[in-house]
């Protein structure tokens, strides 16, 4: 099945710093989502981005589907950005068409 | 408010008992999903349903059962056959399979 790899696994930043999180996937996709999991476990939708570039405030994301990777940019990080960031992809894989396959996440800690 | 609700938030169960987790959505979504998350890991798909009265096994369906009698509801039963049921369970929904998925707040199940 499709493999989803996220890097780095852990990231520690000082408040105000910028960061880039990467998601590599092993097959073509028709769905790619970025999520932020807060300390209470809630998954918050950041981007639905199977291709192209999107921006939302201090966050932006780019997916290059032909090269099978996506990047999540966080600028001017804040302590509330701490948590785990997940990339999840979906495609036409046998009987599981469209279902999401999750990476293991990047754990971000922003220090004041 | 539109959204996905899960109950209970925390659940404790003795070994050998079945337990049912509730998931309700008022987003008028056709597709619903159940995922399991273990500590430090990404999410894995248990079951999914594209439409009322139909559901399919995901990657880790053994020891679980579901029903989809109403569009709004997709309960998950963790049976005594599930060998390692202690985990965080998340329910999601989307307009259709392959569309953006939205998640509920989750249920933490602990088997004593």
């Amino acid at each position: 099945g499709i493999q989803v790899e996220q890097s780095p696994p852990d990231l520690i930043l000082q408040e105000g710093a910028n960061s880039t999180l990467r998601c590599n996937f092993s097959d073509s996709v028709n769905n790619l989502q970025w999520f932020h999991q807060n300390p209470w476990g809630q998954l918050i939708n950041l981007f639905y981005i199977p291709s192209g570039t999107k921006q939302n405030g201090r966050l932006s994301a780019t997916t290059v589907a032909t090269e099978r990777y996506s990047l999540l940019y966080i600028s001017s990080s804040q302590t509330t950005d701490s948590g785990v960031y997940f990339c999840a992809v979906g495609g036409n894989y046998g009987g599981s068409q469209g279902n999401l396959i999750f990476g293991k996440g990047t754990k971000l800690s922003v220090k004041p | 408010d539109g959204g996905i609700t899960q109950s209970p938030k925390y659940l404790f169960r003795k070994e050998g008992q079945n337990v049912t987790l509730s998931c309700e959505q008022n987003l008028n979504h056709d597709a619903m999903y159940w995922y399991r998350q273990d500590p430090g890991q990404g999410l894995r798909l248990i079951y999914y349903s594209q439409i009322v009265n139909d559901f399919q096994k995901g990657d880790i369906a053994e020891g679980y059962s579901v029903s989809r009698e109403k569009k709004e509801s997709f309960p998950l039963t963790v049976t005594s056959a599930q060998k390692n049921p202690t985990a965080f369970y998340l329910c999601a929904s989307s307009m259709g399979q392959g569309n953006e998925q939205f998640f509920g707040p989750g249920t933490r199940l602990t088997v004593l």
Side-chain angles (χ1 to χ4, degrees):
Chain A
I2 189 171
Q3 304 297 314
V4 182
E5 292 184 1
Q6 292 186 242
S7 60
D10 295 279
L11 185 58
I12 300 174
L13 297 175
Q14 207 63 36
E15 200 169 26
N18 303 330
S19 63
T20 301
L21 282 58
R22 187 176 180 102
C23 174
N24 292 335
F25 43 95
S26 60
D27 205 340
S28 58
V29 300
N30 56 23
N31 180 1
L32 190 147
Q33 292 185 241
W34 283 98
F35 298 93
H36 175 213
Q37 188 167 41
N38 66 22
W40 297 273
Q42 175 79 54
L43 274 177
I44 299 163
N45 288 40
L46 298 177
F47 294 102
Y48 172 76
I49 188 166
S51 64
T53 298
K54 290 185 178 180
Q55 181 157 6
N56 184 4
R58 295 181 297 104
L59 275 59
S60 63
T62 295
T63 297
V64 184
T66 53
E67 297 187 22
R68 298 183 182 169
Y69 73 88
S70 183
L71 301 174
L72 177 68
Y73 305 96
I74 304 174
S75 64
S76 304
S77 58
Q78 301 175 358
T79 55
T80 52
D81 294 332
S82 297
V84 182
Y85 289 80
F86 286 105
C87 168
V89 303
N92 295 324
Y93 315 124
S96 300
Q97 294 185 17
N99 291 332
L100 289 179
I101 307 298
F102 280 75
K104 292 189 175 181
T106 292
K107 184 176 180 181
L108 175 64
S109 299
V110 181
K111 306 297 185 185
Chain B
D1 254 12
I4 304 170
T5 57
Q6 292 186 242
S7 61
K9 197 169 187 176
Y10 298 95
L11 188 56
F12 298 90
R13 184 195 97 176
K14 292 183 180 179
E15 277 193 30
Q17 289 180 336
N18 293 354
V19 64
T20 297
L21 283 57
S22 169
C23 177
E24 305 275 333
Q25 54 96 3
N26 62 4
L27 300 169
N28 200 31
H29 285 172
D30 285 318
M32 297 186 75
Y33 313 80
W34 274 105
Y35 293 87
R36 168 185 172 134
Q37 185 179 29
D38 293 288
Q41 301 295 314
L43 280 66
R44 292 182 291 166
L45 183 65
I46 305 172
Y47 267 98
Y48 63 99
S49 167
Q50 298 183 53
I51 199 167
V52 174
N53 292 322
D54 182 66
F55 49 83
Q56 306 294 331
K57 292 182 179 179
D59 299 321
I60 54 166
E62 185 176 351
Y64 300 98
S65 66
V66 293
S67 63
R68 186 85 186 277
E69 297 176 1
K70 297 188 298 181
K71 187 175 185 177
E72 304 78 23
S73 178
F74 191 40
L76 174 75
T77 297
V78 184
T79 74
S80 55
Q82 169 49 235
K83 293 178 182 175
N84 188 17
T86 295
F88 186 46
Y89 291 88
L90 289 144
C91 176
S93 71
S94 65
M95 286 183 62
Q97 204 174 9
N99 295 118
E100 185 175 8
Q101 292 187 25
F102 297 87
F103 283 77
T107 293
R108 292 193 185 276
L109 172 64
T110 303
V111 174
L112 304 172

